[in-house]
């Protein structure tokens, strides 16, 4: 009798522990359900917000990926509701999937380039004449650089995406007062800029540095936005941001493929971006053409050699 009583008593603490374990598991499960539900709702909210606002999908034939490096042509345009527009921002993001190294190359829009099927003109005119495919062919023919994918965003949509991701603004050290032809007035110093202000900062070029200064600021903005995406305080904003990006950003990827590529990059660890600008220093001169205006004539071979070394890939 005493043995039975002892056995029953000895089993009670185990039952209490079991109940506590079940309670904790149930609470954890509930938190996961709530978080998933919130994420889905925010994602759909982002999709609805961006409904029918992105740049139209274009025919695009990317180069075949050979090896571990993939190159993405990133374009920013100011459509203003017009059917045709020039590219205000042209960048090539190069991702080495083996090392997770990310390199960003800005292409000056005034580079004098041979445009297939047309006379030579400024590089940003290629998009106006034949869309992303013609611009891709112009860049590939000029530098032997393979382009595997593309992404386009209209500047108005860029403003909205920034405000969704970082509703309290993106911290930027504004190096001087800026206001001319950017739609906002920025003061020198460190400020949290909203979407419209951040775009204005990235587009400012009315100083002695001109387009070269603007390209440097665009790269600075990309770095700041990368940090905002990875910042812990913005985790709850990410589902809505991703949903809106599906509507605001035009790419040759499917929605799921686009998300998977970004997740692959982020999951491999801290993303550090190395940056460069074409043309490189000492490889260009300014020249005025009657049909193209003030342009940048570059030493193609010198810039091609730099690109090959910087990206770590052989260019044809």
């Amino acid at each position: 009798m005493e043995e039975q009583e002892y056995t029953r008593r000895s089993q009670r603490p185990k039952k209490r522990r079991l109940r506590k374990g079940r309670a904790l598991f149930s609470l954890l499960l509930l938190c996961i359900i709530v978080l998933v539900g919130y994420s889905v709702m925010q994602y759909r909210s982002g999709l609805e917000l961006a409904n029918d606002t992105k740049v139209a999908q274009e025919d695009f034939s990317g180069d075949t990926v050979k090896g571990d490096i993939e190159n993405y042509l990133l374009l920013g345009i100011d459509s203003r509701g017009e059917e045709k527009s020039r590219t205000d921002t042209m960048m090539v993001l190069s991702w080495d999937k083996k090392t997770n190294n990310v390199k960003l190359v800005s292409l000056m829009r005034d580079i004098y380039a041979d445009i297939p099927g047309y006379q030579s003109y400024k590089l940003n005119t290629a998009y106006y004449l034949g869309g992303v495919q013609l611009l891709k062919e112009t860049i590939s023919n000029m530098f032997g650089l393979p382009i595997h994918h593309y992404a386009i965003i209209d500047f108005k949509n860029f403003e909205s995406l920034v405000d969704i991701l970082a509703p309290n603004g993106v911290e930027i050290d504004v190096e001087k007062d800026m206001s001319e032809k950017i739609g906002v007035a920025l003061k020198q110093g460190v400020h949290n800029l909203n979407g419209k202000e951040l775009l204005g900062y990235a587009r400012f070029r009315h100083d002695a540095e001109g387009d070269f200064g603007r390209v440097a600021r665009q790269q600075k903005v990309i770095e700041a936005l990368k940090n905002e995406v990875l910042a812990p305080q913005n985790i709850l904003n990410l589902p809505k941001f991703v949903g809106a990006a599906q509507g605001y950003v035009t790419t040759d990827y499917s929605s799921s493929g686009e998300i998977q590529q970004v997740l692959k990059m982020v999951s491999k660890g801290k993303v550090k971006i190395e940056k460069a600008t074409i043309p490189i220093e000492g490889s260009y001169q300014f020249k005025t053409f009657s049909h193209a205006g003030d342009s940048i004539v570059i030493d193609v071979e010198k810039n091609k050699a730099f690109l090959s070394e910087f990206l770590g890939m052989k260019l044809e």
Side-chain angles (χ1 to χ4, degrees):
M1 186 71 179
E2 290 182 0
E3 286 185 15
Q4 292 178 350
E5 185 67 24
Y6 176 76
T7 302
R8 283 195 292 271
R9 289 175 181 173
S10 65
Q11 290 175 344
R12 286 173 186 170
K14 291 182 180 180
K15 288 183 178 179
R16 290 195 189 100
R17 287 196 295 269
L18 188 60
R19 290 194 190 100
K20 288 182 180 179
R22 286 177 177 173
L24 288 173
F25 176 77
S26 299
L27 182 60
L28 180 61
L29 183 61
L30 180 61
C31 289
I32 292 173
I33 292 173
V34 170
L35 183 60
V36 170
Y38 170 84
S39 298
V40 170
M41 289 176 60
Q42 289 297 300
Y43 175 81
R44 289 177 177 173
S45 173
L47 277 177
E48 292 175 3
L49 189 67
N51 189 34
D52 296 330
T53 59
K54 71 177 181 180
V55 181
Q57 191 81 30
E58 297 188 33
D59 292 332
F60 178 78
S61 179
D63 295 310
T64 302
V65 178
K66 298 177 182 177
D68 297 312
I69 296 177
E70 284 192 33
N71 296 325
Y72 302 76
L73 181 59
L74 310 181
L75 306 176
I77 65 172
D78 185 13
S79 65
R80 303 181 188 181
E82 298 174 359
E83 186 177 345
K84 284 189 173 184
S85 59
R86 286 174 170 80
T87 45
D88 209 55
T89 301
M90 294 177 288
M91 297 179 174
V92 175
L93 185 145
S94 184
W95 175 35
D96 189 324
K97 293 175 287 185
K98 185 176 182 180
T99 63
N100 209 40
N101 289 335
V102 177
K103 298 182 180 181
L104 188 69
V105 179
S106 294
L107 300 168
M108 299 291 290
R109 65 178 192 170
D110 289 343
I111 292 173
Y112 195 65
D114 291 332
I115 301 176
Y118 298 87
Q119 67 181 127
S120 297
Y121 223 98
K122 292 180 181 180
L123 183 59
N124 71 334
T125 306
Y127 180 79
Y128 177 85
L129 294 172
V132 67
Q133 184 64 33
L134 184 58
L135 178 57
K136 178 262 180 194
E137 291 172 1
T138 302
I139 294 171
S140 295
N141 289 352
M142 195 170 194
F143 301 107
L145 179 66
I147 303 293
H148 306 113
H149 304 285
Y150 82 92
I152 304 175
I153 185 169
D154 183 83
F155 287 142
K156 199 66 183 175
N157 294 341
F158 172 86
E159 294 179 16
S160 300
L161 273 179
V162 171
D163 291 336
I164 291 171
L165 175 65
N168 295 322
V170 177
E171 185 177 290
I172 290 287
D173 185 359
V174 180
E175 58 269 23
K176 63 186 74 175
D177 291 353
M178 303 176 183
S179 60
E180 190 174 352
K181 296 184 179 181
I182 59 174
V184 293
L186 303 178
K187 294 294 183 181
Q188 182 179 8
V190 178
H191 304 284
N192 284 353
L193 305 184
N194 61 28
K196 185 174 182 178
E197 292 167 337
L198 191 65
L199 177 63
Y201 173 79
R203 299 191 70 189
F204 179 77
R205 65 188 180 101
H206 293 277
D207 60 5
E209 295 178 299
D211 273 338
F212 285 91
R214 179 171 66 169
V215 164
R217 281 186 286 275
Q218 289 173 353
Q219 293 180 344
K220 187 175 174 181
V221 165
I222 292 293
E223 183 73 31
L225 289 175
K226 183 262 295 183
N227 293 336
E228 291 292 338
V229 169
L230 300 177
Q233 67 267 24
N234 290 330
I235 288 177
L236 293 179
N237 301 329
L238 287 180
K240 187 174 182 179
F241 173 77
V242 172
Q246 299 302 306
Y248 285 142
V249 179
T250 300
T251 175
D252 59 308
Y253 271 119
S254 65
S255 296
S256 59
E258 181 183 349
I259 294 172
Q260 287 173 10
Q261 288 297 85
V262 173
L263 290 177
K264 282 180 186 178
M265 187 182 298
V266 174
S267 66
K268 288 188 175 183
K270 188 176 181 179
V271 180
K272 182 180 179 181
I273 303 177
E274 293 183 61
K275 298 175 280 291
T277 300
I278 295 296
I280 59 173
E281 189 174 350
S283 70
Y284 63 91
Q285 58 182 324
F286 295 100
K287 190 172 181 179
T288 301
F289 297 90
S290 59
H291 65 289
D294 296 335
S295 305
I296 303 173
V297 178
I298 72 171
D299 185 325
V300 174
E301 290 305 316
K302 186 177 288 189
N303 282 279
K304 184 176 178 179
F306 168 80
L307 273 176
S308 180
E309 182 178 355
F310 179 70
L311 300 178
M313 62 187 307
K314 186 178 180 181
L315 304 182
E316 297 178 0

